[in-house]
């Protein structure tokens, strides 16, 4: 296959129409965002919308609007500074080397690189008084309508400066009405959506938790223009701030009813000093733009994530059996050996040993001791992890391990030996979260320790094939003795913690580039596209009730492809095992049950279902997802996945309401993403009893029929989950 490669590097790249005017378009396949300078060389955001055929027309856009802002100073600045004539919410606040807190930014130049449909535009802004440089970066995946943007702030002044606020993005939209969908929650109720029409003032979505930062509110959002968000129609932006610590996203409706979006690291207790010559790179704001609703926006973002961001995003994923709900902390080598045999017997790829395998002086028999002491518990595992790895190998399955290396229990040798390694206020009593404290990852010695936890496991047991990386504590009493000793402001702690963690992960990936790792954080406390550079997947929630998971997985799917979501069959919920397996098959399938406690019929069904999953998982993990019927609008839910050449699809449908209705799906559900000119056979799989379903015998329909009339999966209280396999008939 020939790949056309182009590389363009142009300084002062712009369309210039007069000496005092520069036009800078940031364009995807369908959309453009346009910046324009004024007579004073300030840079303004003058357009967001459908890409115009002639770039010369962008010069006339701002002349069609009348938005006086003398009372606010600056509304549509490309990157709003503070302290001068601006009275709007700023993107940048700086205390200069001489103590002055005013900043002005003027356009200096722009450059652009293009390679294989990806472009990076860099816009350089300078303060005319102080030697401060800001570079606005826009990376565009042209055909996917996906943009990643960030800012770089460079201190070339005579001395140290202090950043009070340093946003990643400062967007501006002139559409008439704006609707925001944001996702709040709590433990076991993550990713709960709220849609609201934005009114004048600032709506803020933020986190101050330090770690597991998205537990209560997430950095994911949907902005719908003109009308509430729809799945298949309307202009929408689906976005995320890719940062694993405290974040702040402000949605500001100004006095002219325009929308400003300012997104970045939360400035709360996080002013950041830069020495002369130092540079600060903000995290990225990533967003997908669609004129055909949230469905297309999600699919664009999924394609981008799998090909350009998620670790091994186009690779395979291992099905697994986790021992947690089968044993909790109470296990020994014999019990684990039986579970490893069960892993093979049921047809799964990997056995995952969860919490409780470590600690001797302070044994890990519950969650209040041992965390931080990463040596095998000699009473539970007298032969060590190596014995279990060999047992897995003997049974032709792989072995994985749970760790929580960022945290420590007070009852641990680690804490007794290194109390200075823990984040805690020296003059305050210790505050625990789940009997834990957070290790100080601003400290390079702690970074070495955390890296060493992983490195030691792989050095001693190189055939370990999976890591579940947990994080269950938030940061209380934020204080670093390391920063204090180095004379660094305590306001660096929230930022430097995250950057320290990234450095550890970079070291791990440099030495162990291919080992799959799961992000876990007491559930959905961590899931972002900066972390997913290093992890193959994440754990959406400790809530594994399958009905709740239908809603959770639906909401996560706006932002994340199915290949990133770990979905386990557990003891939660009163639904039959068929229902549980069907729900979990919409992502990366895992089991967290004691296989010995399954009935004969349940075991046989599970074996068939796992075999079926292995047959269609490529559709789920790598296909294109279409949300067909929302559980928020119906007593049922339906989702399908289609392969690239539209020759095969799998459709999942579920009863999602507990209300008694004898026949739930009274009308057919229209399928999406097929070829209208093709013929398809439709048959039901994952039957609890072979031969019992109404669509056991394949029925042939045209793609046109399936997408315009649809098919009724016949969901009812007696038939609560249905999986249909759709195959092209040639």
């Amino acid at each position: 296959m020939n790949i056309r490669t182009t590389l363009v590097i142009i300084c002062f790249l712009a369309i210039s129409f007069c000496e005092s005017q520069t036009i800078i378009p940031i364009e995807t396949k369908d959309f453009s965002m346009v910046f324009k300078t004024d007579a004073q060389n300030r840079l303004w955001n003058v357009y967001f919308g459908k890409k115009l055929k002639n770039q010369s027309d962008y010069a006339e856009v701002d002349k069609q609007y009348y938005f006086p802002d003398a009372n606010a100073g600056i509304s549509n600045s490309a990157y709003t500074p503070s302290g001068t004539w601006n009275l709007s919410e700023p993107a940048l606040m700086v205390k200069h080397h001489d103590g002055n807190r005013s900043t002005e930014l003027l356009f200096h130049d722009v450059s652009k690189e293009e390679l294989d449909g990806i472009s990076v535009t860099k816009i350089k802004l300078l303060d005319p008084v102080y030697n401060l440089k800001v570079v606005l970066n826009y990376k565009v995946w042209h055909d996917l309508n996906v943009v990643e943007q960030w800012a770089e702030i460079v201190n070339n002044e005579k001395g140290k400066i202090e950043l009070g606020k340093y946003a990643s993005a400062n967007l501006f939209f002139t559409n008439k009405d704006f609707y925001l969908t944001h996702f709040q929650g709590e433990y076991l109720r993550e990713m709960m959506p709220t849609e609201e029409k934005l009114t004048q003032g600032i709506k803020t979505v933020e986190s101050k938790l330090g770690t597991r930062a998205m537990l209560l509110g997430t950095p994911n959002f949907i902005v719908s223009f003109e009308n509430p968000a729809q799945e298949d129609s309307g202009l929408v932006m689906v976005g995320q701030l890719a940062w694993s610590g405290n974040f702040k996203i402000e949605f500001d409706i100004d006095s002219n009813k325009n929308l400003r979006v300012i997104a970045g690291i939360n400035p709360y207790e996080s002013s950041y000093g830069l020495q002369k010559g130092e540079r600060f790179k903000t995290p990225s704001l990533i967003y997908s733009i669609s004129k055909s609703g949230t469905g297309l926006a999600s699919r664009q973002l999924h394609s981008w994530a799998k090909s350009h961001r998620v670790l091994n995003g186009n690779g395979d994923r291992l099905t697994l059996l986790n021992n947690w709900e089968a044993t909790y902390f109470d296990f020994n080598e014999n019990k684990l050996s039986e579970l490893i045999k069960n892993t093979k017997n049921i047809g799964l790829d990997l056995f995952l040993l969860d919490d409780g395998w470590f600690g001797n002086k302070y044994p890990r028999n519950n969650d209040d001791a041992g965390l931080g002491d990463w040596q095998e518990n000699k009473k539970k595992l007298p032969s060590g992890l190596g014995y279990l790895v060999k047992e897995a190998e003997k049974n032709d399955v792989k072995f994985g391990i749970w760790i929580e290396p960022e945290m420590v229990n007070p009852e641990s040798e680690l804490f007794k030996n290194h109390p200075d390694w823990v984040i805690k206020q020296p003059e305050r009593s210790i505050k625990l979260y789940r009997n834990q404290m957070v290790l100080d990852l601003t400290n390079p010695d702690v970074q070495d320790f955390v890296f060493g936890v992983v490195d030691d496991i792989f050095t001693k047991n190189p055939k370990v094939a999976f890591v579940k990386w947990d994080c269950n504590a938030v940061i209380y009493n934020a204080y670093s003795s390391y920063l204090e000793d180095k004379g660094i402001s305590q306001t660096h702690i929230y930022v430097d913690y995250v950057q320290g963690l990234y450095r550890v992960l970079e070291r791990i990936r440099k030495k162990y580039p291919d080992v799959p790792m799961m992000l876990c954080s007491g559930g959905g406390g961590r899931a972002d596209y900066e972390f997913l550079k290093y992890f193959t997947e994440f754990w959406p929630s400790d809530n594994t009730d399958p009905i709740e998971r239908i809603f959770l997985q639906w909401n996560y799917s706006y932002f994340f492809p199915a290949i990133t979501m770990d979905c386990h069959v557990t003891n939660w919920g009163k639904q039959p095992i068929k229902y549980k397996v069907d729900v979990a098959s919409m992502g990366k399938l895992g089991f967290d049950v004691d296989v010995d406690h399954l009935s004969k019929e349940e075991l046989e069904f599970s074996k068939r279902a796992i075999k079926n999953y292995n047959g269609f998982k490529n559709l789920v993990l790598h296909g294109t997802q279409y949300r067909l019927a929302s559980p928020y609008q119906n007593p049922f839910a339906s989702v399908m996945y289609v392969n690239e050449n539209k020759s095969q699809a799998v459709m999942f449908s579920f009863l999602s309401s507990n209300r008694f209705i004898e026949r739930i799906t009274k009308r057919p559900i229209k399928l999406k993403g097929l070829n209208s000119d093709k013929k398809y056979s439709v048959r039901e799989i994952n039957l609890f009893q072979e031969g019992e379903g109404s669509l056991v015998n394949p029925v042939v329909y045209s793609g046109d029929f399936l997408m315009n009339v649809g098919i009724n999966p016949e969901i009812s209280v007696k038939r609560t989950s249905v999986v249909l396999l759709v195959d092209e008939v040639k």
Side-chain angles (χ1 to χ4, degrees):
M1 183 176 67
N2 294 322
I3 300 176
R4 181 175 177 270
T5 301
T6 61
L7 176 61
V8 181
I9 303 178
I10 307 174
C11 290
F12 300 95
L13 173 75
I15 305 168
S16 298
F17 298 95
C18 64
E19 187 174 335
S20 62
Q21 183 184 64
T22 302
I23 308 294
I24 306 171
I26 309 295
E27 294 183 317
T28 70
K29 179 182 65 174
D30 299 315
F31 299 95
S32 62
M33 178 165 50
V34 180
F35 300 98
K36 177 182 177 181
T37 59
D38 63 12
Q40 290 76 40
N41 223 24
R42 298 187 180 98
L43 188 66
W44 306 103
N45 190 331
V46 297
Y47 180 73
F48 167 81
K50 184 178 180 180
K51 183 169 70 174
L52 302 184
K53 293 181 179 179
N54 300 309
Q55 287 192 345
S56 59
D57 288 344
Y58 292 133
E60 303 300 316
V61 170
D62 62 320
K63 299 176 184 178
Q64 311 309 313
Y65 294 90
Y66 178 66
F67 296 135
D69 59 2
N71 63 324
I74 299 175
S75 60
N76 62 327
S77 172
Y79 196 70
T80 312
S82 68
T84 56
W85 53 287
N86 168 53
L87 302 177
S88 299
E89 183 64 32
L92 178 68
M93 299 173 65
V94 179
K95 179 181 177 182
H96 297 280
H97 73 278
D98 61 358
N100 193 308
R101 294 180 179 273
S102 67
T103 300
E104 179 76 275
L105 294 175
L106 301 182
F107 172 75
H108 183 261
D109 65 42
V110 59
S111 65
K112 182 177 181 180
E113 299 179 11
E114 294 183 354
L115 179 63
D116 290 341
I118 303 171
S119 67
V120 179
T121 302
K122 295 178 176 289
I123 304 173
K124 187 188 299 181
L125 308 175
L126 300 177
D127 189 302
V129 175
Y130 293 94
N131 205 351
L132 177 74
K133 178 171 68 174
V134 175
V135 182
L136 305 180
N137 297 267
Y138 302 85
K139 188 171 185 178
V140 174
W141 286 263
H142 180 266
D143 291 345
L144 294 175
N145 291 311
V146 170
V147 179
E148 177 181 10
Q149 70 175 90
W150 68 94
E152 296 173 72
I153 304 163
V154 184
N155 175 22
N156 291 321
E157 297 187 22
K158 296 178 181 179
K160 178 182 176 181
I161 67 172
E162 189 172 290
L163 306 179
K165 188 176 183 180
Y166 33 99
S168 301
N170 187 172
L171 304 175
F172 179 76
F173 309 101
T174 58
N175 309 67
K176 184 173 180 294
D177 294 305
F178 306 92
Y179 295 81
L180 170 67
T181 304
H182 54 101
F183 298 82
Q184 308 298 105
E186 58 184 295
Y187 179 58
L188 302 180
R189 297 187 69 252
E190 297 87 355
M191 284 295 286
M192 297 292 104
T194 298
E195 185 178 52
E196 56 189 289
K197 183 176 182 180
L198 292 170
T199 57
Q200 191 168 341
I202 300 177
K203 170 71 178 185
T204 299
V205 177
E206 65 176 344
S207 173
K208 299 186 181 78
L209 300 180
T211 55
R212 61 187 314 201
M214 61 177 288
L215 178 65
L216 304 180
T218 82
N220 306 297
F221 64 89
I222 300 170
V223 172
S224 179
F225 302 88
E226 314 296 349
N227 296 292
Q230 300 294 320
E231 182 69 15
D232 297 308
S233 63
L235 179 62
V236 298
M237 170 184 285
V238 172
Q240 178 197 100
L241 184 74
W243 175 246
S244 311
N246 294 344
F247 59 85
K248 188 173 189 176
I249 309 175
E250 297 163 299
F251 302 88
D252 179 9
I253 299 293
D254 66 20
S255 58
N256 292 306
K257 306 301 187 292
N258 298 315
L259 172 63
R260 302 168 71 239
V261 178
I262 301 174
I265 293 172
N266 197 329
Y268 168 76
E269 291 295 325
S270 294
S271 59
Y272 206 87
L274 289 184
Q275 300 294 335
K276 181 180 179 180
E278 287 187 335
R279 173 189 300 260
F280 187 90
K281 179 181 179 295
T282 71
S284 296
L285 181 71
I286 299 165
Y287 47 91
S288 169
I289 311 161
S290 163
K291 59 184 176 182
S292 299
T294 54
L296 178 59
S298 294
R299 290 189 288 276
Q300 292 174 162
L301 197 57
H302 294 174
S303 294
W304 167 83
K306 287 185 282 189
S307 295
H308 302 287
R309 183 53 58 96
V310 176
L311 186 67
N312 196 23
N314 288 313
D316 199 4
R317 295 293 185 267
L318 299 169
T319 58
L320 62 82
L321 178 67
N322 190 0
N323 72 298
W324 179 242
E325 290 198 16
T327 67
Y328 295 100
F329 294 101
D330 184 18
F331 55 80
N332 55 38
E333 283 180 353
N334 290 335
K335 177 60 177 176
L336 296 180
S337 294
E338 286 301 311
L339 289 173
I340 289 171
K341 292 176 184 176
N342 288 337
T343 305
K344 173 64 175 178
N345 182 43
I346 201 171
L348 297 165
D349 301 320
L350 177 141
F351 172 74
L352 172 62
L353 175 58
D354 213 289
D355 196 358
W357 59 268
F358 51 90
N360 288 293
K361 185 175 181 179
Y362 302 96
R364 183 71 168 175
N365 295 323
N366 48 50
D367 69 359
D368 63 5
L371 194 61
D373 300 342
W374 299 101
Q375 304 85 33
E376 296 99 321
N377 181 283
K378 294 177 181 178
K379 185 175 181 180
K380 294 180 183 179
L381 305 178
S383 305
L385 290 178
Y387 169 79
L388 297 175
V389 174
K390 289 178 182 177
E391 282 291 291
E393 190 175 17
K394 187 168 67 176
N395 284 276
D396 196 28
V397 296
K398 297 183 183 299
F399 180 84
I401 193 75
W402 177 97
I403 56 174
E404 191 175 4
E406 299 167 68
M407 311 298 161
V408 64
N409 289 130
E411 290 299 302
S412 67
E413 292 184 79
L414 178 65
F415 179 70
K416 307 299 184 186
N417 294 333
H418 297 284
D420 56 316
W421 281 11
V422 171
I423 293 175
K424 63 182 189 305
Q425 287 281 352
E427 303 300 329
R428 306 290 180 186
S429 59
I430 292 175
K431 172 69 173 176
L432 302 180
Y433 189 95
R434 288 182 61 163
N435 299 311
Q436 299 176 6
M437 294 181 289
V438 180
L439 292 175
D440 182 6
L441 276 167
T442 71
N443 186 337
D445 290 338
V446 176
Q447 295 171 29
D448 289 342
F449 169 80
V450 174
F451 170 78
V453 171
V454 179
D455 191 43
D456 186 64
I457 289 172
F458 285 119
T459 299
K460 294 178 180 177
N461 303 283
K463 291 189 177 180
V464 168
F466 187 84
V467 173
K468 178 181 177 182
W469 184 301
D470 214 339
C471 166
N472 286 303
V474 298
I475 293 179
Y476 290 129
N477 291 325
Y479 180 90
S480 164
S481 59
Y482 170 79
L483 293 179
E484 187 68 25
D485 291 344
K486 294 297 180 181
I488 301 172
S489 172
Q490 291 296 326
T491 61
H492 281 223
I493 189 170
Y494 289 120
V495 175
D496 286 356
Y497 180 93
V498 177
Q499 292 180 338
L501 178 55
Y502 291 158
R503 282 191 286 272
V504 172
L505 294 170
E506 286 166 6
R507 291 174 64 186
I508 291 171
R509 281 310 175 195
K510 185 176 181 179
K511 190 168 182 179
Y512 306 102
D514 301 320
V515 177
M517 296 204 306
M518 176 205 297
L519 267 170
C520 186
S521 189
R526 282 177 160 176
D528 66 73
Y529 279 122
E530 193 64 26
F531 259 148
L532 286 171
K533 289 179 179 178
Y534 311 107
F535 291 83
T536 49
E537 57 218 67
F538 70 91
W539 181 240
S541 177
D542 278 355
N543 185 345
T544 53
D545 181 291
I547 288 182
E548 296 299 325
R549 273 297 181 113
I550 288 171
F551 291 85
L552 279 162
Q553 290 167 205
W554 181 276
N555 294 329
Y556 277 113
S557 77
Y558 286 112
F559 308 96
F560 299 101
I563 194 171
T564 64
M565 282 188 258
D566 285 296
C567 307
H568 289 189
V569 178
T570 75
N571 295 320
W572 284 53
K574 298 180 180 179
Q575 297 76 19
I577 195 164
K578 169 180 164 48
Y579 191 99
K580 295 179 177 183
V581 173
D582 289 351
V583 171
S585 295
M586 291 194 293
K588 187 202 134 175
L589 176 65
F591 276 64
D592 199 337
V593 297
D594 190 337
V595 177
D596 287 337
H597 290 175
L598 297 177
S599 69
K600 180 181 178 181
E601 293 78 12
E602 289 173 333
L603 178 61
E604 290 306 311
F605 164 76
S606 297
K607 289 180 178 181
R608 293 196 307 273
I610 292 167
K611 186 176 181 180
N612 285 338
Y613 176 80
N614 287 329
F616 65 68
K617 78 171 181 177
N618 197 56
L619 287 170
V620 173
L621 301 184
H622 301 297
T624 302
Q625 183 193 66
Y626 293 88
R627 294 180 289 265
L628 305 180
S630 170
Y632 290 96
Q633 299 170 356
N634 305 281
F636 56 88
S638 189
V639 176
M640 70 180 289
Y641 303 85
V642 185
N643 68 357
E644 186 176 4
N645 62 10
K646 302 184 178 184
S647 64
Q648 192 176 45
V650 61
M651 175 182 174
F652 298 87
S653 300
F654 303 94
L655 175 66
S656 55
S657 169
N658 288 321
R659 295 183 63 193
F660 184 87
I661 305 174
E662 185 63 30
R663 182 70 173 270
I664 302 296
T665 47
K666 297 181 179 180
R667 296 177 176 84
I669 297 172
K670 295 178 182 179
L671 280 64
K672 301 175 185 177
L674 302 176
N675 185 325
S676 61
D677 296 325
K678 291 183 176 183
K679 295 285 188 180
Y680 296 93
S681 69
V682 180
R683 65 184 176 91
E684 186 173 354
I685 60 173
N686 276 19
L687 300 166
F688 188 74
Q689 297 290 342
E690 293 185 281
E692 69 178 4
S694 63
L695 293 168
V696 175
N697 299 314
V699 182
V700 176
Y701 303 94
S702 69
D704 183 58
F705 179 92
L706 290 172
M707 291 190 292
N708 289 289
V709 176
I711 193 166
N712 194 326
E714 301 181 21
I715 292 293
S716 70
V717 294
K718 296 179 181 178
R719 183 177 157 83
T720 56
S721 68
V722 175
V723 182
L724 301 178
L725 195 61
V726 181
D727 285 294
E728 179 183 358
V729 177
K730 295 184 179 180

